[in-house]
Amino acid sequence: MFSDAETVIHIIKGNIGTGIIGLPFAFMYAGFAVGLASMAAVCVIAIWCMLMLVRASHRLCELHGKRNLDYASTAELGIALVFPDSRWPKISRRVVNTFLLMTQLGFTTVYFVFIAKNMQQVVAAMRVQLDYHALIGIFVIPLVAGVCIRDLKTTAIFSGIGNVLQVVSIVIIIVYLCTHMHWPGTRLYPKKATDMALFFGLAAFSVEGIGVVLPLENDMKKPWHFPPLLVCSMGFVSTLFLLVGSLGFVCFGDETQGSITLNLPGGASSAEHIPFIYVKLFYTFAIMSSYLVQFYVAIEIIEPFVLKRVQKSRHAITGYSVRAGLVIGAGKNAVGIHFVCARLECAVLCRK
């Protein structure tokens, strides 16, 4: 069972991942003024939806005499109130589990891409040659070991360290952005209306913690404390979203890359660049700890489904095999994404 402090740590960790450092790229599509207003609206809507989800779960628990509910059960019992004698409740359970699984495993794949891309810059600054595929293979090993930890409470120490390193990294990034801003010529609006679709896609991705809301609340010592803790934690997270997104765009403008860390100076030959090497290292560790939190949601869905189909004596080995297989699969997906992007880039250059 989580204490209030551990819950806050996991809420922050679950919401501040790769999305926040991709927000300047989103602002590049929306412009400074429209991006700031739209991102604030996205954050408010996300917090409201999280609170509605928790309230709906509480109400259904009261109606059915249950202590807590997961996402699929909340959907199933909620739909059953409207369509009590139909197949829709069962269908809704499967749909919610499928979409939640796709979302969480998608996050873990993106984490691999981020880790490999940033570590490429770090090892290059150290005069070491390691390609993208080798880095994926190297980081599969510690992540497989990490996901074999079966209790989120045990991962709280990693989340705590990751949060500290992440905050240090974000502070360094914000200081750099504040000292390198280029206000004249900053675009306030999107270049074209269709760019807003890209902005909202990236903005929605940044609010990536909704998948951990019910698992965290279900494991709290005092679950009635969860709503105010959620609002306070998400208020802090939303402030960071707005700061990093807007300042990153003001600093780099239309040269902003998909991750703001890729815009930071990276040469180890200059002493003033060394802090940014540490930022990339710190953030890599923080993303690895976020991986464990996001993976927990996916494994809660997959593992019971698999284990009920094997003998009890084989539950342990099967469980660990499933966990390792999902991590390796996410790594392979990251390699595939890199391959597809490289081919698309070649196709675009050939057309030019």
Side-chain angles (χ1 to χ4, degrees):
M1 290 293 179
F2 297 134
S3 65
D4 289 358
E6 289 170 334
T7 301
V8 169
I9 287 172
H10 280 308
I11 292 173
I12 295 173
K13 172 54 58 189
N15 283 277
I16 300 182
T18 57
I20 186 173
I21 50 179
L23 281 176
F25 189 65
F27 273 66
M28 184 181 73
Y29 286 105
F32 180 80
V34 174
L36 205 59
S38 300
M39 191 66 220
V42 168
C43 290
V44 170
I45 291 169
I47 295 170
W48 181 250
C49 288
M50 291 177 183
L51 289 172
M52 284 199 299
L53 177 65
V54 171
R55 288 168 185 160
S57 177
H58 287 175
R59 181 60 178 153
L60 289 168
C61 284
E62 292 173 4
L63 290 174
H64 295 274
K66 296 181 179 292
R67 184 184 179 276
N68 54 54
L69 295 169
D70 59 14
Y71 285 95
S73 299
T74 301
E76 182 179 12
L77 295 178
I79 295 295
L81 292 176
V82 184
F83 304 104
D85 299 316
S86 71
R87 59 181 181 177
W88 291 113
K90 293 294 182 183
I91 291 175
S92 67
R93 165 180 280 275
R94 296 191 188 99
V95 168
V96 167
N97 273 338
T98 300
F99 286 169
L100 192 59
L101 193 58
M102 292 169 62
T103 301
Q104 299 307 120
L105 293 181
F107 287 148
T108 59
T109 298
V110 172
Y111 289 171
F112 262 114
V113 175
F114 171 85
I115 290 169
K117 287 286 186 183
N118 278 270
M119 289 306 296
Q120 266 189 305
Q121 289 191 344
V122 172
V123 298
M126 296 176 179
R127 307 293 190 269
V128 178
Q129 294 299 319
L130 279 175
D131 68 6
Y132 178 90
H133 304 84
L135 288 165
I136 292 286
I138 289 169
F139 280 93
V140 161
I141 298 169
L143 288 172
V144 167
V147 300
C148 288
I149 299 172
R150 291 184 167 273
D151 185 10
L152 255 184
K153 187 175 176 63
T154 310
T155 67
I157 185 170
F158 296 107
S159 288
I161 296 171
N163 277 350
V164 172
L165 295 179
Q166 206 161 22
V167 168
V168 170
S169 300
I170 291 173
V171 168
I172 294 173
I173 291 172
I174 290 174
V175 170
Y176 177 83
L177 297 178
C178 288
T179 55
H180 291 76
M181 290 191 295
H182 304 288
W183 284 105
T186 297
R187 185 163 38 82
L188 299 179
Y189 307 102
K191 290 181 179 179
K192 51 184 184 291
T194 52
D195 285 347
M196 288 305 294
L198 291 167
F199 168 82
F200 282 116
L202 293 165
F205 170 74
S206 67
V207 190
E208 56 192 86
I210 194 166
V212 301
V213 169
L214 288 185
L216 286 177
E217 198 237 0
N218 290 344
D219 281 343
M220 281 189 70
K221 293 176 182 175
K222 301 174 181 177
W224 56 89
H225 288 181
F226 187 76
L229 292 177
L230 177 66
V231 171
C232 292
S233 301
M234 287 303 299
F236 171 73
V237 169
S238 299
T239 302
L240 288 181
F241 283 170
L242 295 171
L243 273 175
V244 175
S246 58
L247 293 178
F249 172 60
V250 170
C251 183
F252 297 111
D254 289 336
E255 300 300 318
T256 305
Q257 296 193 49
S259 168
I260 195 68
T261 56
L262 300 177
N263 282 104
L264 298 176
S269 56
S270 174
E272 65 181 15
H273 291 173
I274 292 177
F276 303 111
I277 299 296
Y278 283 112
V279 164
K280 292 167 187 176
L281 285 170
F282 290 168
Y283 220 97
T284 296
F285 180 88
I287 292 303
M288 290 174 69
S289 63
S290 290
Y291 189 106
L292 305 183
V293 177
Q294 299 292 352
F295 185 87
Y296 182 82
V297 179
I299 202 64
E300 273 198 328
I301 298 171
I302 295 177
E303 198 171 48
F305 178 81
V306 173
L307 293 184
K308 68 182 182 181
R309 287 164 171 77
V310 300
Q311 296 177 356
K312 194 170 184 179
S313 59
R314 299 177 61 84
H315 276 193
I317 186 66
T318 302
Y320 289 123
S321 298
V322 169
R323 289 164 184 262
L326 289 175
V327 175
I328 294 169
K332 290 180 69 176
N333 288 340
V335 171
I337 288 172
H338 185 259
F339 176 82
V340 171
C341 289
R343 292 296 179 271
L344 289 174
E345 188 175 350
C346 288
V348 170
L349 291 174
C350 288
R351 286 189 176 184
K352 290 182 179 179

